[in-house]
Structures are given as structure tokens and as C-alpha cells.
Amino acid sequence: MKVTQSQPAILLLEDGTVFRGNALGKIGTSGGEICFNTGMTGYQEIYTDPSYFGQVIVNTTSHIGNYGVVNELEEESASVKIAGMVCNEFSPIHSRKTADGSLQEYFEKAGIVGISGIDTRQIVRHIREKGVMNCIISSEILEVEALKAELAKVPPMEGLELSSQVCTQEPYFLGEESAEKKVAVLDLGVKKSILSNLTDRGCYLKVFPAKTSFAEMEAWAPDGYFISNGPGDPAVMPYAVATVKEIVENEKPTFGICLGHQILAQASGLSTYKMKNGHRGLNHPVKNLITGLSEITSQNHGFAVKMEELEANPSVELTHINLNDKTVEGLRRVDKPAFSVQHHPEASPGPHDSRYLFDSFVEML
């Protein structure tokens, strides 16, 4: 393909820090919460993960776009969900036999604004010191003061309810109807690879919108419930907490991942909080406190469950802990057949150390 000279672009952070680089994707302006992912592969899966809705992703690996994109096969949802992308070296051309096109073309079609030619190490050190914050990227407004006015319009992630914007709007089925086990999925922004991990284990799924009532899901008579990942602040999702409380009281096997983990925690009387940086990458060490074994996990979250409240709650047991910062990575109810993890056992992309959790859930059904 023809390589054209890139236009200039600006990245402006909420604290006034300015980075100048080269435009990628669509020429335009876009803002959101800036956060970084340390994964060295799997960028297309990251960009289509609904959990990243409303966020600008800094890819810390040096080269992005060099292996192109594969439509559908490496997508975690039906569309790109990120608000923008920041990287060091962006490749307008790609080399992979199975690729359907370039990342540049993919972003242009999806309307994604990005910036390259940035020292991502500097940005990451800045965010790690200052904490996550909002930002704005523009390749059309190159005046900093004008951009500040646009950035002021971007809402903070804390206090945002986003699941209802990215979940399915109508229930749908996945898997073999003749399967022995039926699982109701509460879609808060579910990834395709999570669903495939369930169908691959012989489950027939009915995926419900985020605001579906327990009564409507229970009318399908499922053998168990899965509470999915998703974007936004779990503290402003009382509708999901109320539903999961009813699910847990029903005493059918329940499994939650990421946001689903946080919702199960709230339904069990625990609180969540906004993390300074969050965890986003493919190499986060987690210890399973039940088996004593450690796992390398894929993670993507900016909120977490309060450890002190979990330790004081007799109905909840800590099952997994993050070995980097000692935050909550998993819990289970001691009085109900319900458990959850903060990390992503489907790991798409990432290591498969934690996929046994899907087996554990299916065995409970």
C-alpha cells in the first residue's frame, strides 16, 4: 500500500502536559481516560474489548500495527470500543499472510483518532506518578488552549455507568441447544472469547442485556449464571447489584469476571474504589490462596474491591491475591455457590494459566 506523510497531532493531558506527535487513524479529535497496557501482542483484541469503552489506550510495546488486523477472528466485540490510541512507532503497512488489512485502515473505518511518535515510557512514568486522568488527542485542533476547552467536556470515569451502552440490546443464544448445561449470561460488556470458553465446555448460553431482571433470566430456567466484564464504575450500577443479589440468593452456581467480580462483591456487602493506575497487561502475577499456586494473568481494570471490607466479612473468602500490590484478585461466598475473579481467565490476549476457572464453574453446574 502507499505510505503517505502523517499529519501532526497533539496529546493533551488533564494536568496540562502536552505531547506532540503524528496523526494516525481518523483525522479528528477524541478524549477519554488515559491508561496504559503493557501487553506485547493482541492489540486488536484490546481495541475491541468493551471494557475499554471511553478510554484512550497507551500501547507500551514499541511497534503497533506491524501485523495488521484480522476481521472477526481477533475481535472481542462487533466494533472498536476505545476512544483513542497512543503509541511510539506506528506501522502504516503490515506483514501477515492471514491479515485482512492494515490497522490504519481499520481505525479510519471505525473513526478512531490516534497519535504516534510519542515516548510512551515518559507517558507511563507520568501516569504512574500522577495517576490516571482524562486526556484528548487531536489532529485537527493544534492550539493547546482550544484543546483545553474540549478536554473540559470529557466526563471523569469515576461515576460513569457505561455497561448499558455496550451490552447487547436484545437477548441472544450461543452454543448447542442440545447441550446438557444452560448458562444465563448477564452482559455488562462481555468479550466474545469468554462466551466461547463457556460454549467450548458444553454450555448453551442465553446472553441478556445489562438491565435484565432476575425474574426474566430465571424464566429460562438456567443451571447457572455468569456475570460478565464491562466498562465504567461499578459503584453506580445499583440495577446490576440488585439483580446479582437475587441470583446469589437463588443459590444457583454463579461466576463473575472483572466488572462481574466487582458487582458480586457489592452484592455481598463489599465496596469498590478507583485505583491510582489500574492493572492492564498480560503478565500480572496472581496467587491462588486455595491451591497455593501462582498464575500469570491477563488484566484490564481501573477499579478494585476493598480488601479491608472483604477480610471483615464472614460470608466472603479471599481466594486470589495480586502479588504486585496485594489487591483483591478473587473471592468466593462461603454460604452460596458463587465466586469471581478480577483478572481475565479467558486471556485473549494473554497466558492461559487461569482457564481452569471455567472448568470449575462448569463442574458446579
Coordinates of all heavy atoms in Angstrom, one line a residue, residues 36-47 58-67 280-283 298 349-351:
F36 N -2.6 2.8 30.3 CA -1.6 2.1 29.5 C -1.8 0.6 29.7 O -2.1 0.0 30.7 CB -0.2 2.5 29.9 CG 0.2 2.3 31.3 CD1 0.8 1.1 31.7 CD2 0.0 3.3 32.3 CE1 1.2 0.9 33.0 CE2 0.4 3.1 33.6 CZ 0.9 1.9 34.0
N37 N -1.5 -0.1 28.5 CA -1.5 -1.6 28.5 C -0.1 -2.1 28.1 O 0.5 -1.6 27.1 CB -2.5 -2.1 27.5 CG -2.7 -3.6 27.6 OD1 -1.7 -4.4 27.3 ND2 -3.9 -4.1 27.9
T38 N 0.5 -2.9 28.9 CA 1.9 -3.4 28.7 C 2.0 -4.6 27.9 O 3.1 -5.1 27.7 CB 2.6 -3.6 30.1 OG1 1.8 -4.6 30.8 CG2 2.6 -2.4 30.9
G39 N 0.9 -5.1 27.3 CA 0.9 -6.3 26.5 C 1.7 -6.1 25.2 O 1.7 -5.1 24.6
M40 N 2.5 -7.1 24.8 CA 3.4 -7.0 23.7 C 2.7 -7.5 22.4 O 3.3 -7.5 21.3 CB 4.7 -7.8 23.9 CG 5.5 -7.1 25.0 SD 7.1 -7.9 25.2 CE 7.9 -7.4 23.6
T41 N 1.5 -8.0 22.5 CA 0.7 -8.5 21.4 C -0.8 -8.4 21.7 O -1.1 -8.0 22.8 CB 1.1 -10.0 21.0 OG1 0.5 -10.4 19.8 CG2 0.6 -10.9 22.1
G42 N -1.6 -8.7 20.7 CA -3.0 -8.7 20.9 C -3.7 -7.3 20.9 O -4.7 -7.1 21.5
Y43 N -3.1 -6.4 20.1 CA -3.7 -5.0 20.1 C -5.1 -5.0 19.6 O -6.0 -4.2 20.1 CB -2.8 -4.0 19.4 CG -2.4 -4.3 18.0 CD1 -3.3 -4.3 16.9 CD2 -1.1 -4.7 17.6 CE1 -3.0 -4.5 15.6 CE2 -0.7 -4.9 16.3 CZ -1.6 -4.9 15.3 OH -1.3 -5.1 14.0
Q44 N -5.5 -5.8 18.6 CA -6.8 -5.8 18.1 C -7.9 -6.3 19.1 O -9.0 -5.7 19.2 CB -7.0 -6.6 16.8 CG -8.3 -6.5 16.1 CD -8.4 -7.2 14.8 OE1 -7.4 -8.0 14.4 NE2 -9.5 -7.1 14.1
E45 N -7.5 -7.3 19.9 CA -8.4 -7.8 20.9 C -8.6 -6.7 22.0 O -9.7 -6.5 22.5 CB -7.8 -9.0 21.6 CG -7.8 -10.2 20.7 CD -6.5 -10.4 19.9 OE1 -5.9 -9.4 19.6 OE2 -6.0 -11.6 19.7
I46 N -7.5 -5.9 22.3 CA -7.6 -4.8 23.3 C -8.6 -3.8 22.8 O -9.4 -3.3 23.5 CB -6.2 -4.2 23.5 CG1 -5.3 -5.2 24.3 CG2 -6.3 -2.9 24.3 CD1 -3.9 -4.8 24.4
Y47 N -8.4 -3.3 21.5 CA -9.2 -2.2 21.0 C -10.7 -2.6 20.9 O -11.5 -1.7 20.9 CB -8.7 -1.8 19.6 CG -7.2 -1.5 19.5 CD1 -6.5 -1.6 18.4 CD2 -6.6 -0.9 20.7 CE1 -5.1 -1.3 18.3 CE2 -5.2 -0.6 20.6 CZ -4.5 -0.8 19.4 OH -3.2 -0.4 19.4
V58 N -2.7 3.7 25.8 CA -1.3 3.8 25.5 C -0.7 2.4 25.4 O -0.7 1.7 26.4 CB -0.5 4.6 26.6 CG1 0.9 4.7 26.3 CG2 -1.1 6.0 26.8
N59 N -0.3 2.0 24.2 CA 0.3 0.8 24.0 C 1.8 0.9 24.3 O 2.5 1.7 23.6 CB 0.2 0.2 22.6 CG -1.2 -0.3 22.3 OD1 -2.0 0.3 21.6 ND2 -1.6 -1.4 22.9
T60 N 2.3 0.3 25.3 CA 3.7 0.5 25.7 C 4.7 -0.3 24.8 O 5.9 0.1 24.8 CB 4.0 0.1 27.1 OG1 3.7 -1.3 27.3 CG2 3.1 0.9 28.1
T61 N 4.3 -1.3 24.1 CA 5.2 -2.0 23.2 C 5.6 -1.1 22.1 O 4.8 -0.3 21.6 CB 4.6 -3.4 22.7 OG1 5.6 -4.2 22.2 CG2 3.5 -3.1 21.7
S62 N 6.9 -1.3 21.6 CA 7.5 -0.3 20.7 C 6.8 -0.2 19.4 O 6.6 0.9 18.8 CB 8.9 -0.7 20.5 OG 9.6 -0.7 21.7
H63 N 6.3 -1.3 18.8 CA 5.7 -1.3 17.4 C 4.3 -1.7 17.4 O 3.9 -2.8 18.0 CB 6.5 -2.1 16.5 CG 7.9 -1.7 16.3 ND1 9.0 -2.2 17.1 CD2 8.5 -0.9 15.4 CE1 10.1 -1.6 16.7 NE2 9.8 -0.8 15.7
I64 N 3.4 -0.9 16.9 CA 2.0 -1.2 16.8 C 1.5 -1.1 15.3 O 1.9 -0.2 14.6 CB 1.1 -0.2 17.6 CG1 1.5 -0.4 19.1 CG2 -0.4 -0.4 17.4 CD1 1.0 -1.7 19.7
G65 N 0.8 -2.1 14.9 CA 0.2 -2.2 13.5 C 1.0 -3.0 12.6 O 0.6 -3.3 11.4
N66 N 2.1 -3.6 13.0 CA 3.0 -4.3 12.1 C 2.5 -5.6 11.6 O 2.9 -6.1 10.6 CB 4.4 -4.5 12.7 CG 4.4 -5.1 14.1 OD1 3.6 -4.6 14.9 ND2 5.2 -6.1 14.4
Y67 N 1.5 -6.2 12.3 CA 0.9 -7.5 11.8 C -0.6 -7.3 11.4 O -1.3 -8.3 11.1 CB 1.0 -8.6 12.8 CG 0.4 -8.4 14.2 CD1 -1.0 -8.6 14.4 CD2 1.2 -8.1 15.3 CE1 -1.6 -8.5 15.6 CE2 0.6 -7.9 16.5 CZ -0.8 -8.1 16.7 OH -1.4 -8.0 18.0
R280 N -3.4 -3.3 33.6 CA -3.7 -3.6 32.2 C -2.5 -4.2 31.6 O -1.5 -3.5 31.4 CB -4.2 -2.3 31.5 CG -5.5 -1.7 32.1 CD -5.9 -0.4 31.5 NE -7.1 0.1 32.2 CZ -7.0 0.9 33.3 NH1 -5.9 1.2 33.8 NH2 -8.2 1.4 33.8
G281 N -2.6 -5.4 31.2 CA -1.4 -6.1 30.6 C -1.6 -7.6 30.7 O -2.7 -8.1 31.1
L282 N -0.6 -8.3 30.3 CA -0.7 -9.8 30.1 C 0.2 -10.6 31.0 O 0.3 -11.8 30.9 CB -0.3 -10.2 28.6 CG -0.9 -9.3 27.5 CD1 -0.4 -9.8 26.2 CD2 -2.4 -9.4 27.6
N283 N 0.9 -9.9 32.0 CA 1.9 -10.6 32.8 C 1.7 -10.3 34.3 O 2.7 -10.2 35.0 CB 3.3 -10.3 32.3 CG 3.6 -8.8 32.4 OD1 2.7 -8.0 32.6 ND2 4.9 -8.5 32.3
S298 N -3.9 -12.2 32.6 CA -4.3 -11.0 31.7 C -5.2 -10.1 32.5 O -6.2 -10.7 33.1 CB -4.9 -11.5 30.4 OG -5.4 -10.4 29.7
P349 N -6.0 -11.2 24.6 CA -4.7 -12.0 24.5 C -4.2 -12.3 25.9 O -4.6 -11.6 26.9 CB -3.8 -11.1 23.8 CG -4.2 -9.7 24.2 CD -5.7 -9.7 24.3
G350 N -3.2 -13.2 26.0 CA -2.6 -13.5 27.2 C -2.4 -14.9 27.5 O -2.8 -15.8 26.8
P351 N -1.7 -15.3 28.7 CA -1.5 -16.6 29.1 C -2.8 -17.3 29.6 O -3.7 -16.7 30.0 CB -0.5 -16.5 30.2 CG -0.8 -15.1 30.8 CD -1.2 -14.3 29.6

